[in-house]
Amino acid sequence: MTASTAAGPATVTPARAGLRFAVVGNPENRRVSLFADAVRAAGLPAPRVVAWTDVLRAGGADFAADEFVRVDSPGENPEVDRLLRGAVEPTRVEGSARWYTRFTAALHTLRGGVPLADPDDLAVLFDKRTCHAVLDAAGVPVPESPTSGPLGARVRGWDDVRALMRAHRMPRLFVKPAHGSSASGVLAVETAGGGRIRATTSVETGPDGALHNSLRVRRYHDERDVARIVDALAPDGLHIERWVPKASQAGRAADLRVVVVAGRATHAVVRTSRGPLTNLHLGGNRGDLDGVRRAVTAAGARWADVLDVCERAASCFPRTLCVGVDLLPAVDWRRAFVGEVNAFGDLLPRLTGLPGSGAEGLDTYGAQVAAVLRAPATSGPRHPYRTGTAHA
């Protein structure tokens, strides 16, 4: 049978019509409602929603053997944040190490079902140092990092950052909380002669010295201010990467968020900004994807190769159905680097699939439902959902 939605048509295979989904998430969050819409649009029953608050308070949750279990972001819920981070104020930046420990432990309390994201994959995705090393070992192009992997340098504070900048000749770099997301706590640091420094970040320092996330990007020019922020973040773990100069579009720095579902790059959005942080919630704008494709072709490169970089990054996590890859195109548009791989990088409302991706007319959630429907009926927790087809 066929069901139509605003996102486009989706066909249900009769043999899989009895398939059931469950979602671990925050019931009030639009991520959960958008996925539920995609499931219903495919002609299937609405997914069973298991609240993160219930999982954390009860010490886990149980799922039927035939339930396909989607783990969604625990973010944007003050009570869940308190249970994971321990912070009373949901805007606080500190506490990401505690959040990581409790979140990864909670993943292993989800019992039964067919997981669409592997707990061990998620543990790597939420540790930037480990993730960088995994990508680098797989030959995925990534920015240089002295903190990558278990043998990487450990950053105890700003003095260590300064020492690594000198040792690795990094006058421009990104300092990132090892377990952060959504640019929380990220600083884009630039230095120049005469002791000049500029750090661009969404971190706001309170009167008591506490760090808070803000929707307004700030620039700090006093090294003492930068040092205080880095010193406060260091106990949670920090990751350092060389600042790769990015290509521009219409005079604005540009990068891409590419969603990879079942091994295929299905959706892409260009993000542009006048500064180094292109996150849409921090004031970044959506750019022109067709313009990016033309720029890549004009530079003598192939768009298929750009998508291939993202698919290679996703292939490092074969037991996880969907990831969002942040791709950094170099200024010449001929090369690209992977800046991040996001476990919950599929929140791109109303964006439909790329031509030739197999997800035409579907949003990111519809594409994931369709991938599960296409998978062999014998697929289980250790069987990845891969299509095995190549881009034209």
Side-chain angles (χ1 to χ4, degrees):
M1 68 181 168
T2 301
S4 295
T5 70
T11 301
V12 177
T13 304
R16 310 303 301 280
L19 184 148
R20 295 190 296 161
F21 283 96
V23 181
V24 180
N26 297 325
E28 76 285 356
N29 195 281
R30 59 176 175 163
R31 292 176 178 269
V32 172
S33 60
L34 287 170
F35 183 74
D37 290 344
V39 172
R40 286 190 294 263
L44 298 170
R48 180 167 71 97
V49 179
V50 180
W52 268 116
T53 49
D54 294 339
V55 170
L56 295 170
R57 288 169 178 161
D62 295 286
F63 300 89
D66 62 344
E67 279 186 304
F68 287 77
V69 182
R70 170 183 170 85
V71 174
D72 219 324
S73 171
E76 301 180 33
N77 181 297
E79 178 60 14
V80 173
D81 192 68
R82 185 188 67 79
L83 292 169
L84 290 174
R85 189 185 301 270
V88 176
E89 299 173 276
T91 61
R92 287 290 291 271
V93 181
E94 304 97 321
S96 60
R98 184 185 299 113
W99 181 98
Y100 176 79
T101 299
R102 293 179 178 177
F103 173 67
T104 53
L107 292 172
H108 288 282
T109 68
L110 305 177
R111 300 172 291 267
V114 182
L116 299 181
D118 181 75
D120 293 335
D121 281 356
L122 295 180
V124 173
L125 289 166
F126 276 101
D127 187 324
K128 289 179 171 53
R129 299 165 299 193
T130 304
C131 187
H132 186 282
V134 167
L135 295 171
D136 192 34
V140 176
V142 289
E144 178 191 350
S145 170
T147 57
S148 178
L151 301 180
R154 289 298 175 258
V155 178
R156 295 158 297 185
W158 177 246
D159 288 344
D160 287 345
V161 173
R162 269 299 199 182
L164 290 169
M165 292 171 70
R166 289 190 295 269
H168 294 268
R169 298 182 180 180
M170 289 185 177
R172 304 171 79 231
L173 76 163
F174 279 85
V175 180
K176 304 178 179 181
H179 309 299
S181 61
S182 303
S184 174
V186 171
L187 294 93
V189 180
E190 306 168 81
T191 58
R196 288 175 296 168
I197 189 169
R198 179 170 67 180
T200 304
T201 180
S202 63
V203 173
E204 178 182 5
T205 306
D208 58 352
L211 307 182
H212 295 267
N213 282 308
S214 170
L215 293 179
R216 184 170 73 85
V217 174
R218 290 168 167 75
R219 290 178 174 83
Y220 294 91
H221 297 273
D222 189 326
E223 186 165 353
R224 291 170 298 182
D225 293 332
V226 178
R228 277 192 288 268
I229 294 173
V230 172
D231 289 346
L233 293 174
D236 285 318
L238 290 173
H239 177 59
I240 290 174
E241 289 180 349
R242 184 179 296 278
W243 182 330
V244 176
K246 292 190 292 191
S248 62
Q249 186 176 86
R252 297 165 63 91
D255 61 21
L256 293 93
R257 165 66 58 83
V258 179
V259 176
V260 181
V261 177
R264 294 292 306 278
T266 58
H267 297 73
V269 64
V270 183
R271 307 180 303 184
T272 70
S273 173
R274 296 198 180 281
L277 303 179
T278 59
N279 301 70
L280 299 178
H281 74 283
L282 295 179
N285 294 333
R286 288 196 181 189
D288 178 9
L289 185 60
D290 287 337
V292 167
R293 296 179 68 160
R294 290 192 297 270
V296 169
T297 302
R302 298 195 314 159
W303 175 244
D305 292 337
V306 172
L307 298 182
D308 181 66
V309 171
C310 301
E311 293 174 352
R312 286 162 52 199
S315 71
C316 295
F317 310 97
R319 295 171 294 186
T320 295
L321 177 65
C322 175
V323 295
V325 179
D326 289 347
L327 196 70
L328 316 176
V331 290
D332 59 7
W333 288 108
R334 293 181 57 85
R335 298 167 299 138
F337 300 85
V338 172
E340 305 271 353
V341 182
N342 304 273
F344 305 128
D346 54 3
L347 182 61
L348 297 172
R350 299 179 299 280
L351 183 70
T352 53
L354 295 166
S357 68
E360 298 89 338
L362 296 173
D363 64 11
T364 58
Y365 303 103
Q368 292 170 68
V369 173
V372 174
L373 292 173
R374 286 194 303 266
T378 56
S379 289
R382 299 299 173 186
H383 294 266
Y385 299 92
R386 292 288 182 250
T387 63
T389 53
H391 280 280

